[in-house]
Amino acid sequence: MKLFPIRGGIHPDYRKEQTSEKAIVVMPMPAALYIPLQQHIGAPADVLVAEGDLVKKGQMIARNQGTVSASQHAPTSGRIRTVTEVTAPHPSGLPQTTIILEPDGKDEWADLPEPIADPFSADTHTINDRVAQSGIVGMGGAAFPSAIKLNLGEQKKLEILLLNGAECEPYLTCDDRVMREYPDEIIDGARIMAHALGTPRVVIGIEQNKPQAIEIMTKAASAFPEIKVVAVPVQYPMGSERHLVQAITGRETPARKLTADLGIVVHNVSTTRAVHHAIRFGRPLIARVVTVSGGAIREPNNVLTPIGARVADLVEFCGGFSARPESVVNGGPMMGQPLPSLEVPVVKGTSGILALTAEEINDRPTSACIRCGSCVTVCPCGLSPVDMAAFVRKDNLEGAAKLGVMDCFSCGSCSWVCPSHIPLVHYFNYAKGVLNDLERESRKNERIKTLAEVRVIRIEKATEAKRAALAARKPASDATPPSNSGEAKAATEEKANA
Amino acid sequence: MSIATISKSGPFAHGFNSVQKTMFTVLLALVPATAFNLYLFGWPAILLFTVTVGACVAVEAGCLMLADRPVRATLADYSAVLTGWLLAMSLPPWAPWWVGVLAAVFAIALAKHAFGGIGQNVFNPAMVGRTVLLVSFPVAMTAWVMPHPLFSSGAPGLAEAIAITFGGHMPDTVSAASALGYIKTELSRGIPVTQSMAQVPDLMDMARGYRAGSLGETSAILILAGGLFLMAKRVISWHIPLSVMGGLFLIAAIFHAVDSAHFASGTFHLVSGATFLGAFFIATDYVTSPVSKKGQIIFGLGCGALIWLIRNFAGYPEGVAFAVLLMNGLAPIIDQYTRPRAFGRNSKGEPLQLEKP
């Protein structure tokens, strides 16, 4: 299949060999699970349990609320210790409402929803409801509720379901392992999703540094002519949704649009497997494969981890630290988030836990920019990090916005390549945060202004109407010119309309 | 076990590139041409080279101290060494010591630190040093000598060299004109290029470096080798060197074809003077050239055209330094108008239109 070039990008040390040949192992149930109500983009789920409740494995313990949200389920059977504030797996280290579950060791399943016997004759709603009910979110890291993305077929005509198996982040091998060990589950999930979306074609994009996964997936897909496995070049950030779409279809998603506007919906391969579980067995998303790696981990591995297991327990399961980690990262080293502590839980979007040594991070003091232009060359978004950084440094965020800082998705290529070790992504994240706040603020002010204006109009109308009503009653006692009565009638009509 | 406190966001990986490594690679690329030229022009050249590089490092250290910046850490980035090196390569090999020192002061103190130090200068420091000296001391700066290879008969020994560099005893029998200077002088006497070309060394000799000129002007081949090495190491890309040489060659070739009595050939312009040094090592200076590839091509073509214009119509026979400085001044504007197109947007920055299915 003909591929298309994508702009920029880098070739970091992949270091995937630390875990790529390690088959997925199951982590034993820890003493307690910490299940945050918000593990996804959108609104936190509504808690359904209280202290002391006994729950079974797979039972819903928090329900999605609002359009963008996801439910949470008990990863095993046990007793709810409490619902309280616990440090979130987020760099802020802020607390977030979390359900603490003490496993009883029986691992007893709850009554699960019935499997959908023939998903290919089921309608889109049935499938999407099940996916929503199962708490499935994008497992590539962004954790966007999957059911919403599966609904896109109702709004637009879609052509391709693109499965993202690029896994371009260094170290991470969880998707690689899932593809190698459960190819049929992914293919089945993909066919169900394609059916729900109404896409005639499925393309699975895998980076060429995973030859076994490519081979195994190609074989698994061979029975289905509509499914095609494509080996894409090893080039970070190939796994970025827009870039993967461009590499495979040659089409460039316009700014502020979605790939779905081009008729292409992208889902992660592990998400697809979760959909398979939900449809075929009624099982919700309660565990995920996490790559535990990095130079400071004694036994790097791919671990099937129950959602809510603390990072400390997971690290312990992998032999603990062999050296003092400089940073522990949730996700890959390029786009992952630093963890504020090890006392935070693994959530649905946790693709990796990396304990990195100072040597691996290779951070050095920042020196002056020498305008080498490497950042401009590698930026996959076609931005000019050197100029944006200059604006941000002077706190001229408007200038940075004009140069497109809001188009930056923090892939980290510029920071990685910078010979002066300037923390460019850090600058841009700061700028994006402040600009988002300003935008929210101005939207709020705008809304307040509109509401105030509407109120003034309403009051005016009401006063006008009252006056008109008064005038309308008058003709009974003394005569008024016809023109006036017409006006009054119009005003009354207006009142009725208002 | 505790983990380090979070001080900044990712990435938590970094390439192994550094400013120091980059500068060091450039120095390495200059070694063959420099060694050959030091051999070619002997002890006086070695002394001048040492004095110039030393002066640049000393001035840099002084400026850093004045600015209250870390001295040792900044010197370790080799940028002052590189400036001194390139500056020395642009001077007449037997020039007196004060030429090197004065040029170093202008290059490092004025062109670099007065603008805010590394990364902040608008103009190429080495070229500022060279041109200020050329304008102020035209005689000392155009006193070219024929090659006197080290240890060959007639080459000055160390004692004589010390007298030449530090005592100002320039032997008056050795001076020679550079090919560009010769042709220009002849042309001003009404002798056409076609005739004067017969008197200059043939093109292969010029490319090999056996001719009068500054340290870095001779031996185009070794400079080219260094430039290719830098490209292989991805320190520089092809955009600037090729567009400088392509621009110069094209315009020279066109005019040569039209009027060969007045204009030397494109090949002659390529191998004479400091074309190769300028294209690979001077115009490619990161700080003073555009960052985008499109901008680099415009910048390079501008350099090439200006080199030819200055060589043919200005008062000086050689134009690389002036051309690069003029284009340095334009680099920020070029950068502003040649930013790459952002993903999903047109060149004006507006979101792309969805294709109609």
Side-chain angles (χ1 to χ4, degrees), chain A residues 7 246 252-255 326 328 333 339 362-363 369-372 381-382 387 403 407 415-416 418-421 426 429, chain B residues 3-4 6 8-16 18-19 118-119 286-287 291 335 339-345 351-352 355:
Chain A
R7 185 189 195 283
Q246 190 179 31
E252 187 173 332
T253 313
E326 182 68 20
V328 177
L339 287 176
N362 188 25
D363 194 17
C369 171
I370 54 168
R371 297 183 55 78
C372 66
C381 295
D387 297 334
L403 292 187
D407 286 6
S415 295
W416 183 89
C418 180
S420 299
H421 284 254
H426 193 77
N429 284 347
Chain B
I3 51 176
I6 296 159
K8 61 184 179 203
S9 64
F12 300 91
H14 198 282
F16 283 87
S18 69
V19 175
I118 186 169
Y286 286 156
V287 178
V291 290
D335 258 339
R339 288 204 181 92
R341 181 180 71 81
F343 190 99
R345 293 181 184 273
L352 294 179
E355 312 150 39

Side-chain angles (χ1 to χ4, degrees), chain A residues 176-195:
Chain A
D176 185 15
R177 288 313 308 188
V178 169
M179 287 189 282
R180 279 156 79 171
E181 297 182 36
Y182 304 101
D184 296 326
E185 299 189 6
I186 294 172
I187 297 289
D188 185 64
R191 292 180 60 228
I192 295 169
M193 287 161 92
H195 167 70

Side-chain angles (χ1 to χ4, degrees), chain A residues 194-396:
Chain A
H195 167 70
L197 287 164
T199 58
R201 291 171 60 202
V202 177
V203 178
I204 307 175
I206 306 172
E207 268 194 359
Q208 281 156 359
N209 57 3
K210 291 177 268 294
Q212 293 98 330
I214 294 169
E215 196 193 320
I216 291 170
M217 290 300 294
T218 307
K219 212 167 135 202
S222 59
F224 308 100
E226 75 274 20
I227 304 180
K228 189 155 192 156
V229 176
V230 177
V232 293
V234 182
Q235 179 183 4
Y236 179 85
M238 185 55 82
S240 143
E241 179 167 284
R242 287 155 190 257
H243 292 89
L244 191 63
V245 165
Q246 190 179 31
I248 287 176
T249 67
R251 301 173 71 187
E252 187 173 332
T253 313
R256 294 194 208 139
K257 295 276 181 204
L258 303 171
T259 59
D261 293 311
L262 301 177
I264 303 158
V265 176
V266 186
H267 281 281
N268 172 270
V269 286
S270 292
T271 314
T272 312
R273 182 173 170 237
V275 169
H276 162 84
H277 286 162
I279 304 294
R280 297 288 186 184
F281 306 102
R283 275 191 239 145
L285 177 58
I286 51 172
R288 68 157 295 148
V289 180
V290 179
T291 299
V292 185
S293 188
I297 290 282
R298 203 177 301 275
E299 296 158 23
N301 220 333
N302 299 297
V303 186
L304 181 67
T305 313
I307 301 299
R310 285 184 323 159
V311 171
D313 293 330
L314 181 58
V315 168
E316 197 53 45
F317 175 67
C318 293
F321 294 130
S322 55
R324 183 180 176 275
E326 182 68 20
S327 280
V328 177
V329 178
N330 178 6
M334 296 302 297
M335 289 186 72
Q337 301 275 1
L339 287 176
S341 97
L342 298 179
E343 310 302 307
V344 298
V346 166
V347 291
K348 292 171 183 175
T350 307
S351 47
I353 295 292
L354 306 179
L356 302 170
T357 60
E359 195 190 335
E360 288 172 289
I361 297 174
N362 188 25
D363 194 17
R364 273 190 256 168
T366 300
S367 54
C369 171
I370 54 168
R371 297 183 55 78
C372 66
S374 306
C375 53
V376 180
T377 310
V378 301
C379 180
C381 295
L383 304 173
S384 298
V386 50
D387 297 334
M388 296 198 304
F391 277 128
V392 176
R393 205 157 30 206
K394 284 182 273 183
D395 221 21
N396 180 352

Side-chain angles (χ1 to χ4, degrees), chain A residues 39-176:
Chain A
Q39 306 182 22
H40 46 263
I41 292 176
D46 244 349
V47 65
L48 299 176
V49 291
E51 192 178 325
D53 284 1
L54 296 177
V55 296
K56 296 251 174 88
K57 184 177 183 176
Q59 181 183 330
M60 190 184 285
I61 52 177
R63 186 186 301 283
N64 58 329
Q65 56 164 346
T67 29
V68 185
S69 185
S71 308
Q72 317 297 347
H73 302 77
T76 185
S77 58
R79 186 180 149 271
I80 302 296
R81 185 195 290 167
T82 182
V83 180
T84 184
E85 302 282 295
V86 172
T87 310
H90 180 272
S92 68
L94 290 173
Q96 136 173 61
T97 311
T98 301
I99 302 169
I100 305 179
L101 169 65
E102 285 171 357
D104 57 12
K106 293 182 207 149
D107 208 29
E108 254 179 296
W109 280 102
D111 291 329
L112 295 178
E114 282 298 306
I116 298 177
D118 182 10
F120 301 106
S121 56
D123 62 12
T124 308
H125 272 292
T126 316
I127 291 169
N128 289 358
D129 282 351
R130 173 60 61 85
V131 170
Q133 202 183 355
S134 305
I136 297 174
V137 300
M139 289 165 81
F144 188 81
S146 300
I148 298 169
K149 266 167 104 177
L150 279 182
N151 263 331
L152 288 168
E154 302 223 311
Q155 301 152 28
K156 339 185 139 70
K157 179 101 187 67
L158 300 174
E159 294 160 36
I160 301 175
L161 165 63
L162 181 54
L163 290 198
N164 191 344
E167 203 166 47
C168 63
E169 278 269 11
Y171 294 91
L172 301 187
T173 55
C174 54
D175 287 346
D176 185 15

